[in-house]
Amino acid sequence: MTRIESARDVVGLGTVLGVWAHPDDEAYLSGGLMALARDRGSRVVCVTATRGELGTEQPEVWPPDRLAAARTYELAQCLAVLGVHEHHWLGYRDGQCAAVPRSRAVGRLGDMIACVRPDTVLTFGPDGITGHPDHRTVSDWTTAAFARAAPDGARLLHATFAERRGPRWAALNERLGIFPPGLPVLTPDRLLAVDVVLDARTADRKVRALAAQRTQTAELMALLGLERFTAWVGDESFVDATDTSRAVDAVRAAAARAAPDGDAGEARTEGNARTATAASTSR
């Protein structure tokens, strides 16, 4: 496992390409890593599939066209805080990634990978972190494009949550309702490929980047308070794509050991495993 705590630790990642579904995915899941990589002088390229025009609970205030324009501007400001100056939109509709012809999306991402020649590609795991269909579809596209076009020696990393985060944040995650039952998948630390623990300066920078995406973060930051929000987003973890199935198996085994009774525990474990792996066999 590569543990990253400062810019000097990211040298082994080389050129980094992140592929995400909506504005703010990149900052929540890899903002600290991107900032540290740019501080080191590494090239960082970000790809976003949609403009997140459905990302509101107030559609009367934020109709799709207006929200898309706002989030386009917000993402530019966010990436500027992180020092990332190479960004590409795929231009797909929010919530409709699964309707895009797979060969077309995979081909476009394959062309980008062939052009950028990244050493490290970041994206969602097959669970999509939150289970969002767009997240899961982007994971599928990126995995296929990587297999087709990645240079020799490149690594594909799936965003995940380290197991150590579970006890601290379970109650808050449940209160916020971000994750459906069975998610997030918590990966045992021993299976992590890259573990990013942000120092105070980088954590502050990540929070400022997220604050730039105010249509998505302003209310949450006000609810949690700056200190708690900073702690909540203060680390980032990734598992090697080839080890994703091992991580899911470890989650299944740990849940089975912790279950108070065999039948109920097995049912809960299988439910978690199905949620985490469903996307790997779809589309």
Coordinates of all heavy atoms in Angstrom, one line a residue, residues 171-268:
A171 N -23.0 6.7 11.9 CA -24.3 7.4 12.3 C -24.5 8.6 11.5 O -25.7 8.9 11.1 CB -24.1 7.8 13.8
L172 N -23.5 9.4 11.2 CA -23.7 10.6 10.3 C -24.1 10.2 8.9 O -25.1 10.8 8.4 CB -22.4 11.4 10.3 CG -22.4 12.6 9.4 CD1 -23.5 13.6 9.8 CD2 -21.1 13.3 9.3
N173 N -23.5 9.2 8.4 CA -23.9 8.8 7.0 C -25.3 8.3 7.0 O -26.1 8.6 6.0 CB -23.0 7.6 6.5 CG -21.6 8.1 6.2 OD1 -21.3 9.3 6.0 ND2 -20.6 7.2 6.2
E174 N -25.8 7.6 8.0 CA -27.2 7.2 8.1 C -28.1 8.4 8.2 O -29.1 8.4 7.5 CB -27.4 6.2 9.2 CG -28.8 5.7 9.3 CD -28.9 4.6 10.4 OE1 -27.9 4.3 11.0 OE2 -30.1 4.1 10.6
R175 N -27.7 9.3 9.0 CA -28.5 10.5 9.2 C -28.7 11.3 7.9 O -29.7 11.8 7.6 CB -27.9 11.4 10.3 CG -28.6 12.8 10.5 CD -27.7 13.6 11.4 NE -28.2 15.0 11.5 CZ -27.5 16.0 12.0 NH1 -26.3 15.8 12.5 NH2 -28.0 17.2 12.0
L176 N -27.6 11.4 7.1 CA -27.6 12.2 5.9 C -28.3 11.5 4.8 O -28.8 12.1 3.8 CB -26.2 12.5 5.5 CG -25.4 13.4 6.4 CD1 -24.0 13.6 5.9 CD2 -26.1 14.8 6.6
G177 N -28.4 10.1 4.9 CA -29.1 9.4 3.9 C -28.4 9.3 2.5 O -29.1 9.2 1.5
I178 N -27.1 9.5 2.5 CA -26.3 9.5 1.3 C -26.2 8.1 0.6 O -26.2 7.9 -0.6 CB -24.9 10.1 1.5 CG1 -25.1 11.5 1.9 CG2 -24.1 9.9 0.3 CD1 -23.7 12.1 2.4
F179 N -26.2 7.1 1.5 CA -25.9 5.7 1.0 C -27.1 4.8 1.2 O -27.7 4.8 2.3 CB -24.7 5.1 1.8 CG -23.4 5.9 1.7 CD1 -23.0 6.8 2.7 CD2 -22.6 5.9 0.5 CE1 -21.9 7.5 2.6 CE2 -21.5 6.6 0.4 CZ -21.1 7.5 1.5
P180 N -27.4 4.0 0.2 CA -28.5 3.1 0.4 C -28.0 1.9 1.2 O -26.8 1.8 1.5 CB -28.8 2.6 -1.1 CG -27.5 2.8 -1.8 CD -26.9 4.0 -1.1
P181 N -28.9 1.0 1.7 CA -28.5 -0.1 2.5 C -27.4 -0.9 1.8 O -27.5 -1.2 0.6 CB -29.8 -0.9 2.6 CG -30.9 0.1 2.5 CD -30.4 1.1 1.5
G182 N -26.4 -1.3 2.6 CA -25.3 -2.1 2.0 C -24.1 -1.3 1.6 O -23.1 -1.8 1.3
L183 N -24.3 0.0 1.5 CA -23.2 0.9 1.1 C -23.0 2.0 2.2 O -23.9 2.3 2.9 CB -23.6 1.6 -0.2 CG -23.7 0.7 -1.5 CD1 -24.1 1.5 -2.7 CD2 -22.3 0.0 -1.7
P184 N -21.8 2.6 2.2 CA -20.6 2.3 1.4 C -20.0 1.0 1.7 O -20.0 0.5 2.9 CB -19.7 3.5 1.7 CG -20.0 3.8 3.1 CD -21.5 3.6 3.3
V185 N -19.3 0.4 0.8 CA -18.4 -0.7 1.0 C -17.2 -0.2 1.7 O -16.5 0.8 1.3 CB -18.0 -1.4 -0.3 CG1 -17.0 -2.5 -0.1 CG2 -19.3 -2.0 -1.0
L186 N -16.8 -0.8 2.8 CA -15.7 -0.5 3.6 C -14.6 -1.5 3.4 O -14.7 -2.7 3.6 CB -16.0 -0.4 5.1 CG -17.1 0.6 5.5 CD1 -17.4 0.5 7.0 CD2 -16.7 2.0 5.1
T187 N -13.4 -1.0 2.8 CA -12.4 -1.9 2.4 C -11.4 -2.0 3.6 O -10.9 -1.0 4.1 CB -11.7 -1.3 1.2 OG1 -12.6 -1.3 0.1 CG2 -10.5 -2.2 0.8
P188 N -11.0 -3.2 4.0 CA -10.0 -3.4 5.0 C -8.7 -2.7 4.6 O -8.3 -2.7 3.4 CB -9.8 -4.9 5.1 CG -11.1 -5.5 4.6 CD -11.6 -4.5 3.6
D189 N -8.1 -2.1 5.6 CA -6.9 -1.3 5.3 C -5.8 -2.1 4.5 O -5.1 -1.6 3.7 CB -6.3 -0.7 6.6 CG -7.2 0.4 7.1 OD1 -8.3 0.6 6.6 OD2 -6.7 1.2 8.0
R190 N -5.7 -3.4 4.9 CA -4.6 -4.2 4.3 C -4.8 -4.4 2.7 O -3.9 -4.8 2.0 CB -4.6 -5.6 4.9 CG -5.8 -6.5 4.7 CD -5.7 -7.8 5.4 NE -6.8 -8.7 5.0 CZ -8.0 -8.6 5.6 NH1 -8.2 -7.7 6.5 NH2 -8.9 -9.5 5.2
L191 N -6.1 -4.1 2.2 CA -6.3 -4.3 0.8 C -6.3 -3.0 0.0 O -6.5 -3.0 -1.2 CB -7.7 -4.9 0.6 CG -7.9 -6.3 1.2 CD1 -9.3 -6.8 0.9 CD2 -6.8 -7.3 0.6
L192 N -6.0 -1.9 0.7 CA -5.9 -0.6 0.0 C -4.7 -0.5 -0.8 O -3.6 -1.0 -0.4 CB -5.9 0.6 1.0 CG -7.2 0.7 1.9 CD1 -7.0 1.8 2.9 CD2 -8.4 0.9 1.0
A193 N -4.8 0.1 -2.0 CA -3.6 0.3 -2.8 C -3.0 1.6 -2.5 O -1.8 1.8 -2.5 CB -4.0 0.2 -4.3
V194 N -3.9 2.6 -2.3 CA -3.4 4.0 -2.0 C -4.3 4.5 -0.9 O -5.5 4.5 -1.0 CB -3.5 4.9 -3.3 CG1 -3.2 6.4 -2.9 CG2 -2.6 4.5 -4.4
D195 N -3.7 5.1 0.1 CA -4.4 5.6 1.3 C -3.9 7.0 1.5 O -2.7 7.3 1.8 CB -4.1 4.8 2.5 CG -5.1 5.1 3.6 OD1 -6.2 5.6 3.3 OD2 -4.8 4.7 4.8
V196 N -4.8 8.0 1.3 CA -4.4 9.4 1.4 C -4.9 10.0 2.7 O -6.2 10.0 2.9 CB -5.0 10.2 0.2 CG1 -4.5 11.7 0.2 CG2 -4.6 9.6 -1.1
V197 N -4.1 10.4 3.6 CA -4.4 11.1 4.8 C -4.0 12.5 4.8 O -2.8 12.8 4.7 CB -3.8 10.3 6.1 CG1 -4.2 11.0 7.3 CG2 -4.3 8.9 6.1
L198 N -4.9 13.5 4.7 CA -4.6 14.8 4.4 C -4.0 15.6 5.6 O -4.6 15.5 6.7 CB -5.8 15.6 3.9 CG -6.4 14.9 2.6 CD1 -7.6 15.7 2.1 CD2 -5.4 14.8 1.5
D199 N -3.0 16.3 5.4 CA -2.5 17.2 6.5 C -3.5 18.4 6.5 O -4.3 18.6 5.7 CB -1.1 17.7 6.2 CG -0.9 18.4 4.9 OD1 -1.8 19.0 4.4 OD2 0.3 18.3 4.3
A200 N -3.3 19.3 7.5 CA -4.3 20.4 7.8 C -4.3 21.3 6.6 O -5.4 21.7 6.2 CB -3.9 21.1 9.0
R201 N -3.2 21.6 6.0 CA -3.1 22.6 4.9 C -3.9 22.0 3.6 O -4.7 22.7 3.0 CB -1.7 22.9 4.5 CG -1.5 23.7 3.3 CD 0.0 24.0 3.0 NE 0.2 24.6 1.7 CZ 0.3 24.0 0.6 NH1 0.3 22.6 0.6 NH2 0.5 24.6 -0.6
T202 N -3.6 20.7 3.3 CA -4.3 20.1 2.2 C -5.8 19.9 2.4 O -6.6 20.0 1.5 CB -3.6 18.8 1.8 OG1 -2.2 19.1 1.6 CG2 -4.1 18.3 0.5
A203 N -6.1 19.5 3.6 CA -7.5 19.3 4.0 C -8.3 20.6 3.8 O -9.4 20.7 3.3 CB -7.7 18.8 5.4
D204 N -7.7 21.7 4.2 CA -8.3 23.1 4.1 C -8.5 23.4 2.6 O -9.5 23.9 2.2 CB -7.4 24.1 4.8 CG -7.9 25.5 4.5 OD1 -9.0 25.9 5.1 OD2 -7.3 26.3 3.7
R205 N -7.5 23.1 1.8 CA -7.6 23.3 0.4 C -8.7 22.5 -0.3 O -9.4 23.0 -1.1 CB -6.2 23.0 -0.3 CG -6.1 23.4 -1.7 CD -4.7 23.2 -2.1 NE -4.4 23.3 -3.6 CZ -3.3 22.9 -4.1 NH1 -2.3 22.5 -3.4 NH2 -3.1 23.0 -5.4
K206 N -8.8 21.2 0.1 CA -9.9 20.4 -0.4 C -11.2 21.0 0.0 O -12.2 21.0 -0.8 CB -9.7 19.0 0.1 CG -10.9 18.0 -0.3 CD -10.6 16.6 0.1 CE -11.8 15.7 -0.3 NZ -11.5 14.3 0.0
V207 N -11.4 21.4 1.2 CA -12.6 22.0 1.7 C -12.9 23.3 0.9 O -14.1 23.5 0.5 CB -12.6 22.2 3.2 CG1 -13.8 23.1 3.6 CG2 -12.6 20.9 3.9
R208 N -11.9 24.1 0.6 CA -12.2 25.3 -0.2 C -12.6 24.9 -1.6 O -13.5 25.6 -2.2 CB -10.9 26.2 -0.2 CG -10.7 26.9 1.1 CD -9.6 27.9 0.9 NE -8.2 27.3 0.9 CZ -7.5 27.4 -0.2 NH1 -7.9 28.0 -1.3 NH2 -6.3 26.8 -0.2
A209 N -12.0 23.8 -2.1 CA -12.5 23.4 -3.5 C -13.9 22.9 -3.4 O -14.7 23.2 -4.3 CB -11.5 22.3 -3.9
L210 N -14.3 22.2 -2.4 CA -15.7 21.7 -2.3 C -16.6 22.9 -2.0 O -17.7 22.9 -2.6 CB -15.8 20.7 -1.2 CG -15.3 19.3 -1.5 CD1 -15.0 18.5 -0.3 CD2 -16.3 18.6 -2.5
A211 N -16.2 23.9 -1.3 CA -17.0 25.0 -1.0 C -17.3 25.8 -2.3 O -18.3 26.5 -2.4 CB -16.3 25.9 0.0
A212 N -16.4 25.7 -3.3 CA -16.6 26.4 -4.5 C -17.8 25.8 -5.3 O -18.5 26.5 -6.1 CB -15.4 26.3 -5.4
Q213 N -18.1 24.6 -4.9 CA -19.3 23.9 -5.5 C -20.5 24.1 -4.6 O -21.1 23.1 -4.1 CB -19.0 22.5 -5.8 CG -17.8 22.3 -6.7 CD -17.8 21.0 -7.5 OE1 -18.7 20.6 -8.0 NE2 -16.6 20.4 -7.5
R214 N -20.8 25.3 -4.4 CA -21.8 25.7 -3.3 C -23.2 25.2 -3.5 O -23.9 25.0 -2.5 CB -21.8 27.2 -3.1 CG -22.3 28.1 -4.3 CD -22.2 29.6 -4.0 NE -22.7 29.9 -2.7 CZ -24.0 30.1 -2.4 NH1 -24.9 30.0 -3.4 NH2 -24.4 30.4 -1.2
T215 N -23.6 25.0 -4.8 CA -25.0 24.5 -4.9 C -25.1 23.0 -4.3 O -26.2 22.6 -4.0 CB -25.4 24.4 -6.4 OG1 -24.5 23.5 -7.1 CG2 -25.4 25.8 -7.1
Q216 N -24.0 22.4 -4.2 CA -24.0 21.0 -3.7 C -23.5 20.9 -2.2 O -23.8 19.9 -1.6 CB -23.1 20.1 -4.5 CG -23.4 20.2 -6.0 CD -24.8 19.8 -6.3 OE1 -25.2 18.7 -6.0 NE2 -25.6 20.7 -6.9
T217 N -22.7 21.9 -1.8 CA -22.1 21.7 -0.5 C -22.4 22.7 0.6 O -22.2 22.5 1.7 CB -20.5 21.7 -0.7 OG1 -20.2 23.0 -1.2 CG2 -20.1 20.6 -1.6
A218 N -23.0 23.9 0.2 CA -23.2 25.0 1.1 C -24.1 24.5 2.3 O -23.7 24.8 3.5 CB -23.8 26.2 0.5
E219 N -25.2 23.9 2.0 CA -26.1 23.5 3.1 C -25.5 22.4 4.0 O -25.6 22.5 5.2 CB -27.4 23.0 2.6 CG -28.3 24.1 1.9 CD -29.6 23.6 1.5 OE1 -30.0 22.4 1.9 OE2 -30.4 24.3 0.8
L220 N -24.8 21.5 3.4 CA -24.1 20.4 4.2 C -23.0 21.0 5.1 O -22.9 20.6 6.2 CB -23.6 19.4 3.2 CG -22.9 18.2 3.9 CD1 -23.8 17.4 4.9 CD2 -22.4 17.2 2.8
M221 N -22.2 21.9 4.5 CA -21.2 22.5 5.3 C -21.7 23.3 6.5 O -21.2 23.2 7.6 CB -20.3 23.3 4.4 CG -19.5 22.5 3.4 SD -18.5 23.5 2.3 CE -17.2 24.1 3.4
A222 N -22.8 24.0 6.3 CA -23.5 24.7 7.3 C -24.0 23.8 8.4 O -24.0 24.0 9.6 CB -24.6 25.6 6.8
L223 N -24.6 22.7 8.0 CA -25.2 21.7 8.9 C -24.1 21.1 9.8 O -24.3 20.9 11.0 CB -25.9 20.6 8.1 CG -26.5 19.4 8.9 CD1 -27.6 19.9 9.8 CD2 -26.9 18.3 8.0
L224 N -23.0 20.7 9.2 CA -22.0 19.9 9.9 C -21.0 20.9 10.7 O -20.5 20.5 11.7 CB -21.1 19.1 9.0 CG -21.9 17.9 8.2 CD1 -20.9 17.1 7.4 CD2 -22.7 17.1 9.2
G225 N -20.8 22.1 10.2 CA -19.8 22.9 10.7 C -18.5 22.6 10.0 O -18.2 21.5 9.6
L226 N -17.6 23.6 9.9 CA -16.4 23.5 9.1 C -15.5 22.4 9.7 O -14.9 21.6 8.9 CB -15.7 24.8 9.1 CG -14.4 24.9 8.2 CD1 -14.7 24.6 6.8 CD2 -13.8 26.3 8.4
E227 N -15.3 22.4 11.0 CA -14.4 21.4 11.6 C -14.9 20.0 11.3 O -14.1 19.1 10.9 CB -14.3 21.6 13.1 CG -13.3 20.7 13.7 CD -13.1 21.0 15.2 OE1 -13.7 22.0 15.7 OE2 -12.4 20.2 15.9
R228 N -16.1 19.7 11.5 CA -16.6 18.3 11.3 C -16.6 17.9 9.8 O -16.3 16.8 9.4 CB -18.0 18.2 11.9 CG -18.4 16.7 12.1 CD -19.8 16.6 12.7 NE -20.1 15.2 13.1 CZ -21.3 14.7 13.3 NH1 -22.3 15.6 13.2 NH2 -21.5 13.5 13.7
F229 N -17.0 18.9 9.0 CA -17.0 18.6 7.5 C -15.6 18.3 7.1 O -15.4 17.4 6.3 CB -17.6 19.8 6.8 CG -17.6 19.6 5.3 CD1 -18.7 18.9 4.7 CD2 -16.6 20.1 4.4 CE1 -18.8 18.7 3.3 CE2 -16.7 19.9 3.1 CZ -17.7 19.2 2.5
T230 N -14.6 19.1 7.5 CA -13.2 18.8 7.2 C -12.8 17.5 7.6 O -12.1 16.8 6.8 CB -12.3 19.9 7.8 OG1 -12.7 21.2 7.4 CG2 -10.9 19.7 7.4
A231 N -13.1 17.0 8.8 CA -12.7 15.7 9.2 C -13.4 14.6 8.4 O -12.8 13.6 8.0 CB -13.1 15.5 10.7
W232 N -14.7 14.9 8.0 CA -15.5 13.9 7.2 C -14.8 13.6 5.9 O -14.9 12.5 5.3 CB -16.9 14.5 7.1 CG -17.9 13.5 6.5 CD1 -18.2 12.3 7.0 CD2 -18.8 13.8 5.4 NE1 -19.2 11.8 6.2 CE2 -19.6 12.7 5.2 CE3 -18.9 14.9 4.6 CZ2 -20.6 12.6 4.2 CZ3 -19.9 14.9 3.6 CH2 -20.7 13.7 3.4
V233 N -14.2 14.7 5.3 CA -13.6 14.5 3.9 C -12.1 14.4 4.0 O -11.5 14.5 3.0 CB -14.1 15.7 3.0 CG1 -15.6 15.8 2.9 CG2 -13.5 17.0 3.5
G234 N -11.6 14.2 5.2 CA -10.1 14.3 5.4 C -9.3 13.2 4.9 O -8.0 13.3 5.1
D235 N -9.8 12.1 4.4 CA -9.0 11.1 3.8 C -9.6 10.5 2.6 O -10.8 10.6 2.4 CB -8.5 10.0 4.8 CG -9.7 9.3 5.4 OD1 -10.8 9.4 5.0 OD2 -9.4 8.5 6.4
E236 N -8.8 9.9 1.7 CA -9.2 9.3 0.5 C -8.5 8.0 0.3 O -7.4 7.8 0.6 CB -8.9 10.2 -0.7 CG -9.5 11.6 -0.6 CD -8.8 12.7 -1.4 OE1 -7.8 12.3 -2.1 OE2 -9.2 13.8 -1.3
S237 N -9.3 7.0 -0.2 CA -8.7 5.6 -0.3 C -9.0 5.0 -1.6 O -10.1 5.3 -2.2 CB -9.2 4.7 0.8 OG -8.8 5.3 2.1
F238 N -8.1 4.2 -2.1 CA -8.3 3.5 -3.4 C -7.8 2.1 -3.3 O -6.9 1.8 -2.6 CB -7.5 4.3 -4.5 CG -7.9 5.7 -4.7 CD1 -7.3 6.7 -3.9 CD2 -8.9 6.1 -5.5 CE1 -7.7 8.0 -4.0 CE2 -9.3 7.4 -5.7 CZ -8.7 8.4 -4.9
V239 N -8.5 1.3 -4.1 CA -8.1 -0.1 -4.2 C -7.8 -0.4 -5.6 O -8.4 0.2 -6.5 CB -9.3 -1.1 -3.7 CG1 -10.5 -1.0 -4.6 CG2 -8.8 -2.5 -3.6
D240 N -6.8 -1.2 -5.9 CA -6.4 -1.6 -7.2 C -7.6 -2.3 -7.9 O -8.3 -3.2 -7.2 CB -5.2 -2.5 -7.2 CG -4.6 -2.7 -8.6 OD1 -5.3 -3.3 -9.4 OD2 -3.5 -2.1 -8.8
A241 N -7.9 -2.0 -9.1 CA -9.1 -2.5 -9.7 C -9.0 -4.1 -9.8 O -10.1 -4.7 -9.7 CB -9.2 -2.0 -11.2
T242 N -7.9 -4.6 -9.9 CA -7.7 -6.1 -9.9 C -8.0 -6.7 -8.6 O -8.3 -7.9 -8.5 CB -6.3 -6.5 -10.4 OG1 -5.4 -5.9 -9.4 CG2 -6.0 -6.0 -11.8
D243 N -8.0 -5.9 -7.5 CA -8.3 -6.4 -6.2 C -9.7 -6.0 -5.7 O -10.0 -6.3 -4.5 CB -7.3 -5.8 -5.2 CG -5.9 -6.3 -5.4 OD1 -5.8 -7.4 -6.0 OD2 -4.9 -5.6 -5.0
T244 N -10.5 -5.4 -6.5 CA -11.9 -5.0 -6.0 C -12.7 -6.2 -5.5 O -13.3 -6.1 -4.5 CB -12.6 -4.3 -7.1 OG1 -11.9 -3.1 -7.5 CG2 -14.0 -3.9 -6.7
S245 N -12.6 -7.3 -6.3 CA -13.4 -8.5 -5.8 C -12.9 -9.0 -4.5 O -13.7 -9.5 -3.7 CB -13.4 -9.6 -6.9 OG -12.0 -10.0 -7.1
R246 N -11.6 -8.9 -4.3 CA -11.0 -9.4 -3.0 C -11.5 -8.5 -1.9 O -11.9 -9.0 -0.8 CB -9.5 -9.3 -3.0 CG -8.8 -10.3 -3.9 CD -7.3 -10.1 -3.9 NE -6.8 -10.2 -2.5 CZ -5.7 -9.5 -2.1 NH1 -5.1 -8.7 -2.9 NH2 -5.3 -9.7 -0.8
A247 N -11.7 -7.2 -2.1 CA -12.2 -6.3 -1.1 C -13.6 -6.6 -0.7 O -14.0 -6.7 0.4 CB -12.1 -4.9 -1.6
V248 N -14.4 -6.9 -1.8 CA -15.8 -7.3 -1.5 C -15.9 -8.6 -0.7 O -16.7 -8.7 0.2 CB -16.6 -7.3 -2.8 CG1 -18.0 -7.9 -2.6 CG2 -16.7 -5.9 -3.5
D249 N -15.1 -9.5 -1.1 CA -15.1 -10.8 -0.4 C -14.7 -10.6 1.1 O -15.3 -11.3 2.0 CB -14.1 -11.8 -1.0 CG -14.6 -12.3 -2.4 OD1 -15.8 -12.2 -2.6 OD2 -13.8 -12.9 -3.1
A250 N -13.8 -9.7 1.3 CA -13.4 -9.4 2.7 C -14.5 -8.8 3.5 O -14.7 -9.1 4.7 CB -12.1 -8.5 2.7
V251 N -15.3 -7.9 2.9 CA -16.4 -7.3 3.5 C -17.4 -8.4 3.9 O -18.0 -8.5 5.0 CB -17.1 -6.3 2.6 CG1 -18.4 -5.8 3.2 CG2 -16.1 -5.1 2.4
R252 N -17.7 -9.3 2.9 CA -18.6 -10.4 3.2 C -18.2 -11.3 4.4 O -19.0 -11.6 5.2 CB -18.7 -11.3 1.9 CG -19.7 -12.4 2.1 CD -19.7 -13.4 0.9 NE -20.2 -12.7 -0.3 CZ -19.5 -12.4 -1.4 NH1 -18.2 -12.8 -1.4 NH2 -20.0 -11.9 -2.4
A253 N -16.9 -11.6 4.4 CA -16.4 -12.5 5.5 C -16.5 -11.8 6.8 O -16.8 -12.4 7.8 CB -14.9 -12.9 5.2
A254 N -16.1 -10.5 6.9 CA -16.1 -9.7 8.1 C -17.6 -9.6 8.6 O -17.8 -9.8 9.8 CB -15.5 -8.3 7.9
A255 N -18.5 -9.4 7.7 CA -19.9 -9.3 8.2 C -20.4 -10.6 8.7 O -21.2 -10.7 9.7 CB -20.8 -8.8 7.0
A256 N -20.0 -11.7 8.1 CA -20.4 -13.0 8.6 C -19.9 -13.3 9.9 O -20.6 -13.9 10.8 CB -20.0 -14.1 7.6
R257 N -18.6 -12.9 10.2 CA -18.0 -13.2 11.5 C -18.7 -12.4 12.6 O -18.9 -12.8 13.7 CB -16.6 -12.8 11.5 CG -15.7 -13.8 10.7 CD -14.2 -13.6 11.0 NE -13.8 -12.3 10.7 CZ -13.3 -11.9 9.5 NH1 -13.2 -12.8 8.5 NH2 -12.9 -10.7 9.2
A258 N -19.2 -11.1 12.2 CA -19.8 -10.2 13.2 C -21.3 -10.5 13.4 O -21.8 -10.0 14.4 CB -19.6 -8.8 12.8
A259 N -21.9 -11.3 12.6 CA -23.3 -11.5 12.7 C -23.7 -12.2 14.0 O -23.1 -13.2 14.4 CB -23.8 -12.3 11.5
P260 N -24.8 -11.7 14.6 CA -25.2 -12.4 15.9 C -25.8 -13.7 15.7 O -25.8 -14.6 16.6 CB -26.2 -11.4 16.5 CG -26.7 -10.6 15.3 CD -25.5 -10.5 14.3
D261 N -26.4 -14.0 14.5 CA -26.9 -15.3 14.2 C -26.6 -15.7 12.8 O -26.6 -14.8 11.9 CB -28.4 -15.4 14.5 CG -29.2 -14.4 13.8 OD1 -29.5 -14.7 12.6 OD2 -29.4 -13.3 14.3
G262 N -26.5 -16.9 12.5 CA -26.0 -17.3 11.2 C -26.9 -16.9 10.1 O -26.5 -16.3 9.1
D263 N -28.3 -17.2 10.2 CA -29.1 -17.0 9.1 C -29.3 -15.5 8.8 O -29.2 -15.0 7.6 CB -30.5 -17.6 9.3 CG -30.5 -19.1 9.4 OD1 -29.5 -19.7 8.8 OD2 -31.4 -19.7 10.0
A264 N -29.6 -14.7 9.8 CA -29.8 -13.3 9.6 C -28.5 -12.6 9.1 O -28.5 -11.8 8.2 CB -30.3 -12.6 10.9
G265 N -27.4 -13.0 9.7 CA -26.1 -12.5 9.3 C -25.8 -12.8 7.9 O -25.3 -11.9 7.1
E266 N -26.1 -14.0 7.4 CA -25.8 -14.4 6.1 C -26.7 -13.6 5.1 O -26.2 -13.1 4.1 CB -26.1 -15.9 5.9 CG -25.8 -16.4 4.5 CD -24.3 -16.4 4.1 OE1 -23.5 -16.3 5.0 OE2 -24.0 -16.4 2.9
A267 N -27.9 -13.4 5.5 CA -28.8 -12.6 4.6 C -28.3 -11.2 4.5 O -28.3 -10.6 3.4 CB -30.2 -12.6 5.2
R268 N -27.9 -10.6 5.6 CA -27.4 -9.2 5.5 C -26.1 -9.2 4.7 O -25.9 -8.3 3.9 CB -27.1 -8.6 6.9 CG -28.4 -8.2 7.7 CD -28.0 -7.4 8.9 NE -27.3 -8.2 9.8 CZ -27.9 -9.0 10.8 NH1 -29.2 -9.0 10.8 NH2 -27.2 -9.7 11.6

